[in-house]
Amino acid sequence: MSDNIENSVDDSKKNTVDRRNFLRTAGYGAAAVGTLAVANACTTETKTEAPAIQTKKKFEWKMVTTWPKGFPGLGTGAEYLAKIIGEMSDGQLVVKVYGGNELVPPLESFDAVSKGTAEMGHGAAYYWKGKSEATQFFTAVPFGLNADEMNGWIYYGGGQQLWDEVYAPFGVKGFPAGNTGVQMGGWFNKEINSIDDFKGLKMRMPGLGGDVLKGAGALPVALPGSEIFPSLQSGAIDATEWVGPYNDLAFGLYKAAKYYYWPGWHEPGSVLECTVNKKAYEALPKDLQHVIEVACKATNVDMFGEYTARNSSALDTLINTHGVSLKRFPDDVLKKLAQISKDVLSNLAAKNAENKKVYDSFAKFRSHSIKWNNISEVGYSSARQYLE
């Protein structure tokens, strides 16, 4: 009996020790499992949230423009583009804007982007006709495409691909980034009653419109926006076109000329461009490349909307507050200018293969577009007169 009791006590002690060993072992095991679980959880969490934890590379770019800083529509359009690029990229791509003459002269902005002095520019493609005459098709063509038609040609008619080809030798890529819509015919200090009234006239008009003026006997002058008013006021030029009522009012051109002519036959839908250094663009991650592309499209739409909204009220101010005399070019003048335009474009296309390739695409799209536009836009505008 005592032996049994003693054995039982020994067994009890043994069991107690075994239980303690088990619990100690189990505790160590649980701790190990817990540690492993935490380690695995941390590993899993790290893997899952790595993109958020990693610091993305940030890019700081410079944008040079052909416009005065803060100039309504054009200058503010460039600033809007830079702003939304920063916002859309969540600060990963920051663009600082420099107005004309702040970093480089206005008409040297293309070279600055080409050389990499600045990664981005904002201006108008026809300013670079000295680089390639084909560039002019991507801003405006006399008696050419209006704003909606330009968008159609560039986005869906092969225009963007041709634009890329023309700019490729300069290491630059161009995007539509604004449109003024149909512009005004210009400011004059004498009435235009016949085509002969253009003879000997010194008029600021860039691009192909200037070539048409030259064919009419005028002396076209290329000037950046900042030099237009003082040149017109001093008599260095006799006449000028700029954009339309919204911008012309801001420039105070009514103080230097009396007659304001329409329609803007030379620029029926002027595209403003964003130029990007190609190496800098290709060095960006794909998502930031898309940010630039989409931001340019947004700016294109936004600027056109602004001009549509503001031109009518600005024209009313010019006429009723400042006493500007609004004039329409006579039909025979417009007819003659259209004929000269045909010759200018034909001669341009005949100069080289690049010009011809772009011209053929543009002319084909215009031919098809005119048919639809006459039914849609012109037809509707004619019908809307019955509201008056």
Side-chain angles (χ1 to χ4, degrees), residues 179-257:
N179 200 303
T180 65
V182 181
Q183 297 196 0
M184 289 293 285
W187 294 86
F188 299 79
N189 275 312
K190 70 173 186 177
E191 293 187 59
I192 303 297
N193 296 311
S194 73
I195 198 68
D196 290 337
D197 290 321
F198 281 106
K199 290 182 178 179
L201 192 77
K202 290 181 293 182
M203 183 171 183
R204 185 269 180 190
M205 183 177 285
L208 292 168
D211 293 336
V212 174
L213 275 186
K214 188 175 181 180
L219 302 172
V221 179
L223 291 173
S226 59
E227 297 179 22
I228 293 176
F229 179 79
S231 297
L232 184 61
Q233 190 176 45
S234 69
I237 56 176
D238 304 312
T240 187
E241 64 81 44
W242 177 220
V243 181
Y246 178 36
N247 284 154
D248 295 2
L249 175 62
F251 259 19
L253 295 178
Y254 61 89
K255 299 175 185 177

Side-chain angles (χ1 to χ4, degrees), residues 176-351:
N179 200 303
T180 65
V182 181
Q183 297 196 0
M184 289 293 285
W187 294 86
F188 299 79
N189 275 312
K190 70 173 186 177
E191 293 187 59
I192 303 297
N193 296 311
S194 73
I195 198 68
D196 290 337
D197 290 321
F198 281 106
K199 290 182 178 179
L201 192 77
K202 290 181 293 182
M203 183 171 183
R204 185 269 180 190
M205 183 177 285
L208 292 168
D211 293 336
V212 174
L213 275 186
K214 188 175 181 180
L219 302 172
V221 179
L223 291 173
S226 59
E227 297 179 22
I228 293 176
F229 179 79
S231 297
L232 184 61
Q233 190 176 45
S234 69
I237 56 176
D238 304 312
T240 187
E241 64 81 44
W242 177 220
V243 181
Y246 178 36
N247 284 154
D248 295 2
L249 175 62
F251 259 19
L253 295 178
Y254 61 89
K255 299 175 185 177
K258 180 179 180 181
Y259 301 108
Y260 198 25
Y261 273 86
W262 65 282
W265 54 271
H266 61 300
E267 295 195 35
S270 304
V271 175
L272 288 313
E273 67 172 3
C274 170
T275 50
V276 183
N277 179 276
K278 198 170 181 182
K279 286 183 180 179
Y281 179 76
E282 292 174 349
L284 293 175
K286 289 291 183 183
D287 60 334
L288 293 186
Q289 291 181 7
H290 289 310
V291 163
I292 291 175
E293 182 179 352
V294 173
C296 285
K297 285 187 176 181
T299 304
N300 197 26
V301 173
D302 185 81
M303 187 184 292
F304 185 41
E306 182 179 13
Y307 275 99
T308 301
R310 306 206 188 282
N311 274 331
S312 56
S313 59
L315 182 61
D316 183 73
T317 300
L318 286 169
I319 295 171
N320 296 313
T321 302
H322 299 298
V324 168
S325 180
L326 186 65
K327 297 278 187 178
R328 184 182 186 276
F329 287 120
D331 287 336
D332 60 340
V333 169
L334 291 172
K335 185 176 180 179
K336 183 62 177 178
L337 290 171
Q339 291 172 348
I340 297 172
S341 178
K342 286 183 180 180
D343 293 337
V344 166
L345 294 175
S346 296
N347 292 335
L348 179 65
K351 283 186 175 182

